[in-house]
Coordinates of all heavy atoms in Angstrom, one line a residue:
P21 N 97.1 91.9 116.1 CA 96.2 93.0 116.0 C 95.8 93.5 114.6 O 95.0 94.4 114.5 CB 96.9 94.1 116.8 CG 98.4 93.8 116.5 CD 98.4 92.3 116.5
G22 N 96.4 93.0 113.6 CA 96.3 93.5 112.3 C 94.8 93.6 111.8 O 94.4 94.5 111.2
A23 N 94.0 92.5 112.0 CA 92.7 92.5 111.6 C 91.8 93.6 112.4 O 91.0 94.2 111.8 CB 92.0 91.1 111.8
L24 N 92.1 93.8 113.6 CA 91.4 94.7 114.4 C 91.7 96.1 114.0 O 90.8 97.0 113.8 CB 91.8 94.6 115.9 CG 91.1 95.6 116.9 CD1 90.6 94.9 118.1 CD2 92.1 96.7 117.2
T25 N 93.0 96.5 113.8 CA 93.4 97.8 113.5 C 92.8 98.3 112.1 O 92.7 99.5 112.0 CB 94.9 98.0 113.5 OG1 95.5 97.1 112.6 CG2 95.4 97.8 114.9
R26 N 92.5 97.4 111.2 CA 92.0 97.9 109.9 C 90.4 97.7 109.9 O 89.9 98.0 108.8 CB 92.7 97.1 108.8 CG 92.3 95.6 108.8 CD 92.9 94.9 107.5 NE 92.4 93.6 107.3 CZ 93.0 92.5 107.8 NH1 94.1 92.6 108.4 NH2 92.4 91.3 107.6
S27 N 89.8 97.4 111.0 CA 88.3 97.2 110.9 C 87.5 98.5 111.3 O 86.3 98.4 111.1 CB 88.0 96.1 111.9 OG 88.2 96.5 113.2
A28 N 88.2 99.5 111.6 CA 87.4 100.8 111.9 C 86.6 101.3 110.8 O 85.4 101.6 110.9 CB 88.3 101.9 112.5
P29 N 87.1 101.2 109.5 CA 86.3 101.7 108.4 C 85.0 101.0 108.2 O 84.0 101.6 107.8 CB 87.2 101.5 107.2 CG 88.6 101.7 107.7 CD 88.5 101.0 109.1
F30 N 84.9 99.7 108.6 CA 83.6 99.0 108.5 C 82.6 99.7 109.4 O 81.4 99.7 109.0 CB 83.8 97.5 108.8 CG 84.8 96.8 108.0 CD1 85.8 96.2 108.6 CD2 84.7 96.8 106.6 CE1 86.8 95.5 107.9 CE2 85.6 96.1 105.9 CZ 86.7 95.4 106.5
G31 N 83.0 100.1 110.5 CA 82.0 100.8 111.4 C 81.5 102.1 110.9 O 80.5 102.6 111.4
L32 N 82.2 102.7 109.9 CA 81.7 104.0 109.4 C 80.6 103.8 108.4 O 80.0 104.8 107.8 CB 82.9 104.7 108.7 CG 84.0 105.1 109.7 CD1 85.2 105.7 109.0 CD2 83.5 106.0 110.8
L33 N 80.2 102.6 108.1 CA 79.0 102.3 107.2 C 77.8 102.5 108.0 O 77.0 101.6 108.3 CB 79.1 100.9 106.7 CG 80.4 100.6 105.9 CD1 80.6 99.1 105.6 CD2 80.4 101.4 104.6
V34 N 77.5 103.8 108.4 CA 76.4 104.1 109.3 C 75.0 103.8 108.8 O 74.1 103.5 109.5 CB 76.5 105.5 109.7 CG1 77.7 105.8 110.6 CG2 76.4 106.5 108.6
G35 N 74.9 103.7 107.5 CA 73.6 103.3 106.9 C 73.3 101.8 107.0 O 72.2 101.5 106.6
W36 N 74.3 101.1 107.3 CA 74.1 99.6 107.3 C 73.6 99.1 108.7 O 73.8 99.8 109.7 CB 75.5 99.0 107.1 CG 76.0 99.0 105.7 CD1 75.7 100.0 104.7 CD2 76.8 98.1 105.1 NE1 76.3 99.7 103.6 CE2 77.0 98.5 103.7 CE3 77.4 96.9 105.4 CZ2 77.8 97.8 102.8 CZ3 78.2 96.2 104.6 CH2 78.4 96.7 103.3
D37 N 72.9 98.0 108.6 CA 72.5 97.3 109.8 C 73.7 96.8 110.6 O 74.7 96.4 110.0 CB 71.7 96.1 109.4 CG 71.2 95.3 110.6 OD1 70.3 95.7 111.3 OD2 71.8 94.2 110.9
P38 N 73.8 96.9 111.9 CA 74.9 96.5 112.7 C 75.3 95.0 112.4 O 76.5 94.7 112.4 CB 74.6 96.7 114.1 CG 73.5 97.7 114.1 CD 72.8 97.5 112.8
G39 N 74.4 94.2 112.1 CA 74.6 92.8 111.8 C 75.4 92.7 110.6 O 76.4 91.8 110.4
L40 N 75.2 93.5 109.5 CA 76.0 93.5 108.3 C 77.4 94.0 108.5 O 78.3 93.5 107.9 CB 75.2 94.2 107.2 CG 74.0 93.7 106.7 CD1 73.3 94.7 105.7 CD2 74.2 92.3 106.0
V41 N 77.5 95.1 109.4 CA 78.8 95.6 109.6 C 79.6 94.5 110.4 O 80.8 94.3 110.0 CB 78.7 96.8 110.6 CG1 80.0 97.3 111.1 CG2 78.0 98.0 109.8
L42 N 79.1 93.8 111.3 CA 79.8 92.8 112.0 C 80.2 91.7 111.0 O 81.3 91.2 111.0 CB 78.9 92.2 113.1 CG 79.5 91.0 113.9 CD1 80.7 91.3 114.6 CD2 78.4 90.4 114.8
Q43 N 79.3 91.2 110.2 CA 79.6 90.2 109.2 C 80.7 90.5 108.3 O 81.6 89.7 108.0 CB 78.3 89.8 108.4 CG 78.5 88.7 107.4 CD 78.6 87.3 108.0 OE1 78.2 87.2 109.1 NE2 79.3 86.4 107.3
L44 N 80.7 91.8 107.7 CA 81.7 92.2 106.8 C 83.1 92.2 107.6 O 84.1 91.8 107.0 CB 81.4 93.5 106.3 CG 82.4 94.1 105.3 CD1 82.6 93.2 104.1 CD2 81.9 95.5 104.8
A45 N 83.1 92.8 108.8 CA 84.4 92.8 109.5 C 84.9 91.4 109.8 O 86.1 91.2 109.7 CB 84.2 93.6 110.8
L46 N 84.1 90.5 110.2 CA 84.5 89.1 110.4 C 85.0 88.4 109.1 O 86.1 87.8 109.2 CB 83.3 88.3 110.9 CG 82.8 88.6 112.4 CD1 81.5 87.8 112.7 CD2 83.9 88.4 113.4
E47 N 84.3 88.6 108.0 CA 84.8 88.0 106.8 C 86.1 88.6 106.3 O 87.0 87.9 105.8 CB 83.7 88.2 105.7 CG 82.5 87.3 105.9 CD 81.4 87.5 104.7 OE1 81.9 87.5 103.6 OE2 80.2 87.5 105.0
C48 N 86.3 89.9 106.4 CA 87.5 90.5 106.0 C 88.7 90.2 107.0 O 89.8 90.1 106.5 CB 87.4 92.0 105.8 SG 86.3 92.3 104.4
A49 N 88.4 90.0 108.2 CA 89.4 89.6 109.1 C 89.9 88.2 108.8 O 91.1 88.0 109.0 CB 88.9 89.6 110.6
A50 N 89.0 87.3 108.4 CA 89.4 85.9 108.1 C 90.4 85.8 106.9 O 91.0 84.8 106.6 CB 88.1 85.1 107.8
Q51 N 90.5 87.0 106.2 CA 91.4 87.0 105.0 C 92.9 86.9 105.4 O 93.7 86.6 104.6 CB 91.1 88.2 104.1 CG 89.8 88.1 103.5 CD 89.4 89.4 102.7 OE1 90.3 90.3 102.6 NE2 88.2 89.5 102.3
S52 N 93.2 87.3 106.7 CA 94.5 87.2 107.1 C 94.8 86.7 108.5 O 95.8 86.3 108.9 CB 95.2 88.6 107.1 OG 94.5 89.5 108.0
H53 N 93.7 86.7 109.4 CA 93.8 86.3 110.8 C 92.7 85.3 111.1 O 91.6 85.7 111.2 CB 93.6 87.5 111.7 CG 94.8 88.5 111.6 ND1 95.0 89.2 110.5 CD2 95.8 88.8 112.5 CE1 96.1 90.0 110.8 NE2 96.5 89.7 112.0
G54 N 93.1 84.0 111.1 CA 92.1 83.0 111.2 C 91.7 82.6 112.7 O 90.6 82.0 112.8
H55 N 92.4 83.1 113.6 CA 92.0 82.7 115.0 C 90.7 83.4 115.4 O 90.5 84.6 115.1 CB 93.1 83.1 116.0 CG 93.0 82.5 117.4 ND1 92.1 83.0 118.3 CD2 93.5 81.4 117.9 CE1 92.2 82.3 119.4 NE2 93.0 81.3 119.2
P56 N 89.8 82.7 116.1 CA 88.5 83.4 116.4 C 88.6 84.6 117.2 O 87.9 85.6 117.1 CB 87.8 82.3 117.2 CG 88.4 81.0 116.7 CD 89.8 81.3 116.4
A57 N 89.7 84.7 118.1 CA 89.8 85.9 118.9 C 90.2 87.1 118.1 O 89.7 88.2 118.3 CB 91.0 85.7 119.9
A58 N 91.0 86.9 117.0 CA 91.3 88.1 116.1 C 90.1 88.5 115.3 O 89.8 89.7 115.2 CB 92.5 87.6 115.2
R59 N 89.3 87.5 114.8 CA 88.2 87.9 114.1 C 87.1 88.6 114.9 O 86.5 89.6 114.5 CB 87.6 86.6 113.4 CG 88.6 86.0 112.4 CD 87.9 84.9 111.5 NE 87.0 84.1 112.1 CZ 87.3 82.9 112.6 NH1 88.5 82.4 112.5 NH2 86.3 82.1 113.2
L60 N 86.9 88.0 116.1 CA 85.8 88.6 116.9 C 86.3 90.0 117.5 O 85.4 90.9 117.6 CB 85.5 87.7 118.1 CG 84.8 86.4 117.7 CD1 84.7 85.5 118.9 CD2 83.4 86.7 117.1
A61 N 87.6 90.2 117.7 CA 88.0 91.5 118.1 C 87.8 92.5 117.0 O 87.4 93.7 117.2 CB 89.5 91.5 118.5
A62 N 88.1 92.1 115.7 CA 87.8 93.0 114.6 C 86.4 93.4 114.5 O 86.0 94.5 114.3 CB 88.4 92.3 113.3
G63 N 85.5 92.3 114.6 CA 84.1 92.6 114.5 C 83.6 93.5 115.7 O 82.7 94.4 115.4
A64 N 84.1 93.3 116.9 CA 83.6 94.1 118.0 C 84.1 95.5 117.8 O 83.3 96.4 118.1 CB 84.2 93.5 119.3
Y65 N 85.3 95.7 117.3 CA 85.8 97.1 117.1 C 85.0 97.8 116.1 O 84.6 99.0 116.2 CB 87.2 97.1 116.8 CG 87.9 98.4 116.8 CD1 87.8 99.3 117.8 CD2 88.6 98.8 115.6 CE1 88.4 100.6 117.7 CE2 89.2 100.1 115.5 CZ 89.1 100.9 116.6 OH 89.7 102.2 116.5
A66 N 84.6 97.1 115.0 CA 83.8 97.7 113.9 C 82.5 98.1 114.5 O 81.9 99.2 114.2 CB 83.7 96.7 112.8
L67 N 81.9 97.3 115.3 CA 80.6 97.6 116.0 C 80.7 98.8 116.9 O 79.8 99.7 117.0 CB 80.0 96.4 116.7 CG 79.5 95.3 115.8 CD1 79.0 94.1 116.7 CD2 78.3 95.8 115.0
L68 N 81.8 98.9 117.6 CA 82.0 100.1 118.5 C 82.1 101.3 117.7 O 81.5 102.3 118.0 CB 83.3 99.9 119.4 CG 83.2 98.9 120.5 CD1 84.6 98.7 121.1 CD2 82.3 99.4 121.6

């Protein structure tokens, strides 16, 4: 869960396009959690 739990701040970039928020969350999740499920969970949480 580490990539997901630290991805909320990406979602606070309210002036950004949701696609950029998702991309940033995915890229930063890949820095420690390589499994697609972990990266996608982080991106989904940032979008929520």
Side-chain angles (χ1 to χ4, degrees):
L24 179 137
T25 58
R26 67 175 191 265
S27 68
F30 302 123
L32 298 176
L33 301 169
V34 293
W36 285 30
D37 177 77
L40 290 174
V41 169
L42 175 64
Q43 182 69 24
L44 181 57
L46 293 173
E47 287 186 41
C48 291
Q51 296 176 8
S52 62
H53 291 70
H55 196 279
R59 296 192 322 264
L60 291 173
Y65 187 53
L67 286 177
L68 286 170

